[in-house]
Amino acid sequence: IALFLRRESQYAAAIRVVRAMKAKYPHDFLFCLEEANLRKDAGEGMAAVAAYESLLKDASTPGYFPLAHLELAYFGLGEALRGQRHFADAAKAYEQAAWTPGSGAELKRRSLVAAGKARDLNGERALAVKDYQAAIANGSDTTQGEIARRLLKTPYHE
């Protein structure tokens, strides 16, 4: 139901559904992640940040989430922080997403390019270059690799 509500941009209703499932299954990583994602997509920037941070705090307890994909939570946190123009913190979250064990190659590259963009927006060009170089090293013949190569030449700006 939440999936269909999301598709129809009925975020408040989708959040209610996911929160009910989260209350019933508090150790289900996907329900916790989906609440944070829905808050981000609904434009509830700082509420989304708080939801991602709460999820990551719970995940630090061994065994709390048996099947957690923390890289997804870190990426979402980066997106929420960037939306709030907290570029330094967004870059750190994206970098954490990239280097979390189990992070897939595509997410790693997307995270590194996003981290580089956030670093550029924050005036940290040297760190941005490192992120772009890492993205290229993880797949130079990909779309994200091409974007990273372009951003090595010209800093990202909005």
Side-chain angles (χ1 to χ4, degrees):
I1 293 174
L3 174 70
F4 295 114
L5 291 168
R6 171 195 282 278
R7 187 186 74 199
E8 300 300 318
S9 299
Q10 294 182 23
Y11 298 112
I15 290 168
R16 284 193 299 275
V17 169
V18 170
R19 287 184 64 96
M21 296 306 294
K22 188 174 137 183
K24 192 171 183 178
Y25 305 101
H27 297 280
D28 187 300
F29 175 78
L30 290 178
F31 292 136
C32 296
L33 178 65
E34 187 58 15
E35 180 185 358
N37 288 339
L38 284 165
R39 290 189 179 285
K40 175 180 59 71
D41 294 347
E44 299 177 15
M46 291 313 292
V49 169
Y52 286 117
E53 288 175 340
S54 175
L55 177 148
L56 290 165
K57 181 179 180 272
D58 288 343
S60 70
T61 302
Y64 192 88
F65 293 120
L67 299 171
H69 289 278
L70 298 181
E71 67 277 11
L72 299 175
Y74 282 116
F75 186 84
L77 176 60
E79 294 283 278
L81 287 164
R82 180 177 171 179
Q84 297 301 300
R85 305 189 65 76
H86 294 224
F87 300 125
D89 291 334
K92 290 175 189 171
Y94 287 131
E95 290 162 354
Q96 189 68 43
W99 303 119
T100 294
S103 182
E106 175 63 22
L107 182 61
K108 183 177 287 191
R109 288 187 299 270
R110 283 183 61 209
S111 297
L112 290 166
V113 169
K117 288 178 177 181
R119 296 281 186 200
D120 269 339
L121 291 170
N122 204 45
E124 300 173 297
R125 182 64 180 158
L127 294 173
V129 166
K130 286 183 180 184
D131 286 327
Y132 299 141
Q133 289 170 336
I136 293 166
N138 281 281
S140 65
D141 60 342
T142 63
T143 301
Q144 294 300 318
E146 291 173 24
I147 293 168
R149 275 195 304 280
R150 188 174 66 243
L151 291 169
L152 280 176
K153 297 174 187 171
T154 306
Y156 178 78
H157 61 283
E158 292 181 313

